[in-house]
Each structure stands twice: as structure tokens, then as C-alpha cells.
């Protein structure tokens, strides 16, 4: 399979995607809109998550459809951007009818990018609204945009040896259904090609010119740098046009973490808040079964991570140098 020609999450019928990238520093947010509503699930594996409206996605809870999912930079401050998404949806009459109003349901997750540039600049409600204004059915841009604008990878041995992360998307269509993913990769660990196991981006060697291979370095006894909890995090959305229940959507979100594990090492660490959402628009006439959908979800997620770092561009800001995958030899 040629990873370079995969599609994007907007290949899933019923979804739109848009970015806002802040011109003042590398940060931003990314929204996936489901104007007709989508069954949703979530699975949080990292130990330091920043999320909103995740409890209501439990199959035991009442609300069964969401209208958007937001991925954002800015750490917990960035959750403000979800308010702008709600305002955009409300203005178009989209939401759960509650008496005289419609309440849009907008789960969200954040990544930490506050050490890249001026930390006082982070996504807010205006940023979320702007991401909705930019949303379309076209394939979303990848790399240093939206929630991936300030993303970095390979920080396990210190930020001085890190590289530029980003946001990527991919999709696969089999048996009459499509599964797509979009992932903002801000991982503590390294990124690998899931097909070959080859390192693509991550912690660099002391001279900064090559990849260190964090897994092997740790096994040799090299100790990680002192790390602050929550200063990393990979967040994403996996989606399908197959009809699913809430319990099945939750399972799809859980299995998408297998894709993170195939493409990021180490993953789900105490310093990451790794969170994956799942959406099901139900536009396809039938489901081919959860076995196939789960396999596609893990694959699309892994490919989206790979594309995030392959699309990333190097960044130098305030003395911090973050080379991109294309600049460093494995």
C-alpha cells in the first residue's frame, strides 16, 4: 500500500474539516463538523489529558449524537475555542433541541504547545469560530497548521533535541465504507513508519543531525530528561460513514489507539494526554462489521500520524530549532 496517496477524513460522507492557524505564534485549532450529527465515542489513554464533553460520550449517557469535535493547541486554555464552535453551530440552527434553543454538542481535546513562542497566545472562541468558517469537504491542509501548528515530537531527552510535529489525515475505503482519521501529533516519543518500522522523526542525537531512536536509547540505559506532565499529547479523530451505535463508536475510538502505538514510541506516557474520538455519520447503507472497521481505524490513524510529520516544516523561533522529518537522516 502506498502511504503517499491516502485520502483524508473528509472522504467520510457528512463531515467537513477546517483549521485556524494563529499568525502571532505557532498555535491553532482544527474542527471536524458533522452538521447532521454523528454518533460519537472517545478513548483517553494518556495520563495527562485536557478534554471537554467526554463523559457524555459514554454509551450509558443520554446524548447520542455530536455536531463537531475540536482539536486545539494552547493546553487547557485552548478549550475556550469550543465556545466559538458552539456559537457558529447555534447560528445555523444546529444542536440538540432543548426547549426554545438548540444546544450544539462539541467535545474537544487539547495538546500542549505553550513552549513554542509567546505562551499568552492561545486559541480562543474567535479561533474556534474561524476554524468553522474555514471548514469544507476539501481535504484539510497538513503539517504546520491548525492544532498541529505548534506541535513537536521527540522530547523525551529534552526539548533541545526535539523535532517539528504537525497534523495529518488519511482515509481508506473497503467493502463500501470509508474510514478516515485526522491526528495532531505532539508526541513525547518518536514517530515511525507503521509499514516498515523505520524511524521518521523524533529525538535527535547530541549533534542534532540524526535520529537517536528513543526506544533503543532507553533500553541502553539512557535516562529521559526531567519531564513536566501534560507537556505533549497526540489528539485525533477517527470517523466512518458506517452506521454505528455509541458502544461501537467507543470501541472504534479505543482501537484507533492501536494506530498510535504502531506509529509512536513511546506512546500513552505520563507526560502525554493522548485522546482519540470516533465519529459515525451513518451515510453508508450498512456496516461490514466491527472487525473490518477496527482494522481500518487503526490503519488510518497510523497513516495520519505519519503524514503529520512528513508534512511538517522546520521551525526556528526564539532560539528554539525544530527541524522537520525531511531535514534529518534516520
Amino acid at each position: 500500500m502506498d502511504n503517499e496517496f491516502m485520502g483524508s477524513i473528509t472522504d467520510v460522507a457528512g463531515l467537513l474539516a477546517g483549521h485556524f492557524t494563529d499568525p502571532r505564534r505557532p498555535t491553532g485549532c482544527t474542527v471536524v463538523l458533522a452538521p447532521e450529527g454523528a454518533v460519537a465515542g472517545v478513548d483517553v489513554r494518556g495520563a495527562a489529558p485536557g478534554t471537554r464533553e467526554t463523559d457524555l460520550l459514554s454509551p450509558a449517557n443520554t446524548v447520542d449524537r455530536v455536531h463537531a469535535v475540536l482539536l486545539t493547541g494552547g493546553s487547557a486554555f485552548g478549550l475556550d475555542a469550543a465556545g466559538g464552535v458552539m456559537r457558529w453551530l447555534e447560528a445555523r440552527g444546529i444542536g440538540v433541541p432543548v426547549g426554545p434553543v438548540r444546544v450544539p454538542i462539541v467535545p474537544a481535546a487539547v495538546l500542549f504547545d505553550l513552549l513554542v513562542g509567546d505562551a499568552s497566545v492561545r486559541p480562543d472562541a474567535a479561533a474556534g469560530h474561524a476554524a468553522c468558517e474555514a471548514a469544507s469537504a476539501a481535504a484539510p491542509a497538513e503539517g504546520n497548521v491548525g492544532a498541529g501548528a505548534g506541535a513537536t515530537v521527540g522530547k523525551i531527552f529534552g526539548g533541545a533535541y526535539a523535532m517539528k510535529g504537525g497534523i495529518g489525515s488519511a482515509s481508506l475505503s473497503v467493502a463500501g465504507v470509508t474510514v478516515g482519521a485526522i491526528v495532531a501529533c505532539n508526541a513525547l516519543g518518536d514517530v515511525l513508519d507503521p509499514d516498515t518500522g523505520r524511524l521518521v522523526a523524533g529525538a535527535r542525537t547530541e549533534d542534532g543531525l540524526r535520529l537517536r531512536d528513543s526506544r533503543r536509547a532507553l533500553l541502553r540505559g539512557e535516562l529521559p530528561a526531567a519531564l513536566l506532565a501534560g507537556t505533549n499529547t497526540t489528539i485525533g479523530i477517527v470517523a466512518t460513514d458506517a452506521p454505528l451505535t455509541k458502544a461501537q463508536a467507543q470501541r472504534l475510538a479505543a482501537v484507533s489507539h492501536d494506530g498510535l502505538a504502531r506509529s509512536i514510541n513511546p506512546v500513552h506516557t505520563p507526560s502525554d494526554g493522548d485522546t482519540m474520538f470516533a465519529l459515525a455519520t451513518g451515510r453508508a447503507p450498512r456496516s461490514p462489521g466491527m472487525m473490518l472497521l477496527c482494522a481500518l481505524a487503526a490503519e488510518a490513524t497510523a497513516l495520519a500520524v505519519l503524514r503529520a510529520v512528513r508534512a511538517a516544516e522546520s521551525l526556528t523561533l526564539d532560539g528554539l530549532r525544530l527541524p522537520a522529518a525531511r531535514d534529518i537522516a534516520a
Side-chain angles (χ1 to χ4, degrees), residues 167-245:
I167 194 163
S169 190
S171 71
L172 300 160
S173 295
V174 177
V177 300
T178 298
V179 176
I182 188 166
V183 178
C185 184
N186 186 54
L188 179 76
D190 297 342
V191 174
L192 305 87
D193 185 319
D195 280 342
T196 66
R198 175 181 175 272
L199 284 172
V200 178
R204 292 175 288 142
T205 52
E206 293 288 337
D207 61 12
L209 301 178
R210 296 178 303 281
L211 295 175
R212 187 185 304 226
D213 193 335
S214 296
R215 180 178 69 89
R216 293 182 185 278
L218 290 170
L219 293 175
R220 286 194 300 267
E222 295 184 34
L223 299 180
L227 303 169
L228 297 175
T231 52
N232 302 281
T233 300
T234 295
I235 51 179
I237 305 162
V238 63
T240 182
D241 51 7
L244 298 181
T245 65

Side-chain angles (χ1 to χ4, degrees), residues 56-175:
L56 63 79
L57 301 185
S58 166
N61 291 336
T62 302
V63 172
D64 63 353
R65 300 180 79 79
V66 306
H67 306 98
V69 174
L70 178 75
L71 309 176
T72 181
S75 190
F77 297 107
L79 290 173
D80 283 350
V85 178
M86 289 188 69
R87 189 170 71 245
W88 189 92
L89 290 165
E90 182 189 23
R92 287 153 181 79
I94 298 170
V96 176
V98 182
V101 301
R102 287 185 175 268
V103 180
I105 306 301
V106 184
V110 303
L111 57 77
F112 184 93
D113 59 7
L114 298 181
L115 300 182
V116 183
D118 182 356
S120 69
V121 176
R122 49 253 183 165
D124 55 12
H129 194 278
C132 293
E133 287 287 310
S136 76
E142 298 176 302
N144 299 19
V145 294
T152 54
V153 298
K155 292 156 279 188
I156 192 166
F157 295 106
Y161 305 108
M163 291 177 62
K164 187 68 184 70
I167 194 163
S169 190
S171 71
L172 300 160
S173 295
V174 177

Side-chain angles (χ1 to χ4, degrees), residues 1 3 11 17 27 30 35-36 39 46 54 84 120 128 149 151 173 177 186 188 208 220 229 299 312 330:
M1 182 178 294
N3 294 347
D11 293 332
T27 193
T30 298
E36 297 177 11
V39 175
T54 51
S120 69
S173 295
V177 300
N186 186 54
L188 179 76
R220 286 194 300 267
E299 187 73 7

Side-chain angles (χ1 to χ4, degrees), residues 208-286:
L209 301 178
R210 296 178 303 281
L211 295 175
R212 187 185 304 226
D213 193 335
S214 296
R215 180 178 69 89
R216 293 182 185 278
L218 290 170
L219 293 175
R220 286 194 300 267
E222 295 184 34
L223 299 180
L227 303 169
L228 297 175
T231 52
N232 302 281
T233 300
T234 295
I235 51 179
I237 305 162
V238 63
T240 182
D241 51 7
L244 298 181
T245 65
K246 280 185 77 175
Q248 289 171 326
Q250 186 179 51
R251 172 53 52 188
L252 206 68
V255 173
S256 70
H257 280 276
D258 294 351
L260 296 188
R262 292 176 195 167
S263 54
I264 301 171
N265 193 350
V267 70
H268 306 142
T269 76
S271 293
D272 287 286
D274 302 331
T275 300
M276 289 295 298
F277 295 95
L279 297 174
T281 64
R283 289 284 197 91
R286 64 185 61 85

